[in-house]
Amino acid sequence: MSGGKGGDWNDLRYFLAVARSGRLTAAAKHLGVNHSTVERRITALEKALAAKLFERPPTGFQLTGKGQELLPFAEDIESRWLVAASAVSGADVRLSGSVRIGAPDGLGMFFLASRLGAFSTRYPDLDIELVAMPQVLNPSKREADIAIGFTLPSQGHLTCRKLTDYSLSVYASKAFLDRHGAIESVDDLQRVPFIGYIKDLLYVQELDYLNEISEHLQPRLTSTNIVAQYMMTLAGHGVAVLPDYMAAQEESLVRVAPGIRIVRSYYLSFSNGLAHLLRIRTVIDEMLGWVHEARPQLLPATRPSVS
C-alpha cells in the first residue's frame, strides 16, 4: 500500500498511535509490534513528507506544528477506513483515540458520568475525557472535542444541535421542611433561606433563574457550582432551584412551591473538522440515545409535590 513519493499511508497508523500515547513503547504495545518498528515507520513518514512530525524530548514524543497539521487528516483517513471495513465485513469497528467532552457540572456529574463507564467498556481502546465544570468549553479552540452548553454557539466553524430540553424546580430537604414548615407558594419562599448562583459570576444568563420566580428573591447562600448548591440543599441549609434529573437521585429532596417550573435546553457542538470522525459521531449518537431514554427524568410531565 505504497503512496509513492508521498510515502506509505499505512505509516499513518504508527503516526496516530504515537501522537495519542506520546511514547514509542505504548504505541508499539497498542499496534502489536516492537518499538524499533514504530520508530522506523515514523522516521520513514517524516522523510517521505519532508517534515518533522515529532519533537523527541526525554519525557516522550510531542507533535510539532507540522504534526498538528497532519493529525486531523490522519484521523479522517482512519475513520473512513473503519467505516468501510465495518460496512464490508459486517463486524463491529474497534474505535481508538480519545474524545474530550466538555459539559456543565450538573449534567456531567449527575447524568453523563454514570453512563460513560459502560460505554468505555464497549470500546476499550477509546479514551473518554469528561470535563465537568461551570464553564462552557470552546471546540473551535480545541478545548473540547464535543462541548455541551446552554445556548447555540454564535461563532466558530462548528456543527451544532440541540441535545435535550430539561426542567428545573424548587427543592428542599425533608429535614429542612420539618424545621420550617410547608413551602407552597412564591410568598413562602420569601421567609426561608434561598440558595443560588453568585450573580456577577454567572457564566451564562440562562442560569439566572430567580428573576423568573420573583424579583424579590435574594439568595443567602451562593456558589458558581450547581453541585455545591445541590449539596447545600441536601444538607438542609435552604431551598434551591435544581434540575429535576439531579434532585430525583436523592429521596430526601422534596419539590416545593409546585407551581414553579423552569425549562432550559442543552446544546452540543463540535468542530466541523471533526464531523467525519467515527469516534466523534459514535459518542454523539450514544449521548443522543441516552437523553432519549432519559426524557421522563430530564423533562418529567408530572412530579410529586410537598405532601
Side-chain angles (χ1 to χ4, degrees):
M1 296 191 294
S2 175
K5 186 176 180 181
D8 187 343
W9 68 265
N10 189 48
D11 287 342
L12 292 176
R13 293 173 54 240
Y14 296 84
F15 168 77
L16 285 172
V18 175
R20 289 164 176 169
S21 66
R23 293 187 176 277
L24 287 179
T25 51
K29 182 177 180 180
H30 172 73
L31 294 169
V33 299
N34 59 57
H35 69 87
S36 61
T37 298
V38 178
E39 186 169 21
R40 185 172 67 252
R41 301 298 287 266
I42 292 296
T43 300
L45 182 61
E46 290 181 322
K47 183 177 180 180
L49 297 177
K52 186 175 183 180
L53 302 175
F54 294 98
E55 299 291 351
R56 294 164 167 81
T59 54
F61 279 47
Q62 298 175 0
L63 286 171
T64 62
K66 292 295 183 181
Q68 291 284 2
E69 291 181 22
L70 178 62
L71 183 60
F73 294 102
E75 290 182 323
D76 186 52
I77 292 172
E78 177 194 52
S79 181
R80 291 175 185 273
W81 167 249
L82 287 173
V83 173
S86 178
V88 172
S89 68
D92 291 335
V93 297
R94 192 171 180 85
L95 297 181
S96 62
S98 65
V99 177
R100 176 174 293 178
I101 304 168
D105 41 355
L107 183 73
M109 296 181 189
F110 283 80
F111 187 83
L112 295 178
S114 61
R115 292 165 170 81
L116 285 172
F119 177 79
S120 180
T121 299
R122 285 166 48 202
Y123 299 102
D125 292 335
L126 186 63
D127 297 327
I128 300 295
E129 301 176 355
L130 175 61
V131 184
M133 59 190 301
Q135 177 182 338
V136 179
L137 300 185
N138 189 339
S140 295
K141 297 180 180 179
R142 300 303 298 268
E143 294 174 345
D145 298 309
I146 302 168
I148 301 173
F150 298 96
T151 60
L152 285 171
S154 58
Q155 296 180 340
H157 300 290
L158 301 174
T159 299
C160 311
R161 63 164 297 169
K162 179 185 282 190
L163 180 61
T164 184
D165 293 324
Y166 70 102
S167 59
L168 307 97
S169 303
V170 185
Y171 286 90
S173 70
K174 292 179 180 178
F176 181 88
L177 294 175
D178 287 342
R179 297 195 309 271
H180 293 271
I183 301 171
E184 300 286 356
S185 66
V186 173
D187 288 340
D188 289 335
L189 293 176
Q190 307 284 346
R191 62 177 175 79
V192 296
F194 213 98
I195 299 166
Y197 282 97
I198 303 172
K199 194 173 183 65
D200 62 347
L201 292 181
L202 284 173
Y203 63 100
V204 289
Q205 284 305 305
E206 284 70 21
L207 299 178
D208 189 8
Y209 311 125
L210 298 194
N211 283 339
E212 296 186 28
I213 300 173
S214 170
E215 61 182 9
H216 302 296
L217 280 178
Q218 294 295 327
R220 301 184 200 172
L221 284 171
T222 56
S223 172
T224 58
N225 189 300
I226 189 64
V227 179
Q229 296 173 37
Y230 170 90
M231 297 304 296
M232 292 175 184
T233 309
L234 191 60
H237 298 317
V239 301
V241 175
L242 299 174
D244 289 314
Y245 68 85
M246 286 179 60
Q249 299 186 37
E250 179 51 63
E251 292 183 357
S252 66
L253 289 179
V254 180
R255 184 179 175 231
V256 300
I260 298 172
R261 187 189 195 219
I262 297 169
V263 176
R264 290 290 190 268
S265 302
Y266 290 125
Y267 298 88
L268 62 81
S269 60
F270 54 96
S271 170
N272 291 340
L274 301 180
H276 298 296
L277 295 185
L278 185 60
R279 68 176 187 275
I280 300 297
R281 300 203 314 270
T282 300
V283 172
I284 290 173
D285 288 345
E286 195 77 11
M287 289 195 292
L288 291 173
W290 293 340
V291 298
H292 178 75
E293 292 175 1
R295 183 174 174 81
Q297 292 77 48
L298 290 163
L299 197 67
T302 59
R303 298 176 301 282
S305 58
V306 179
S307 59

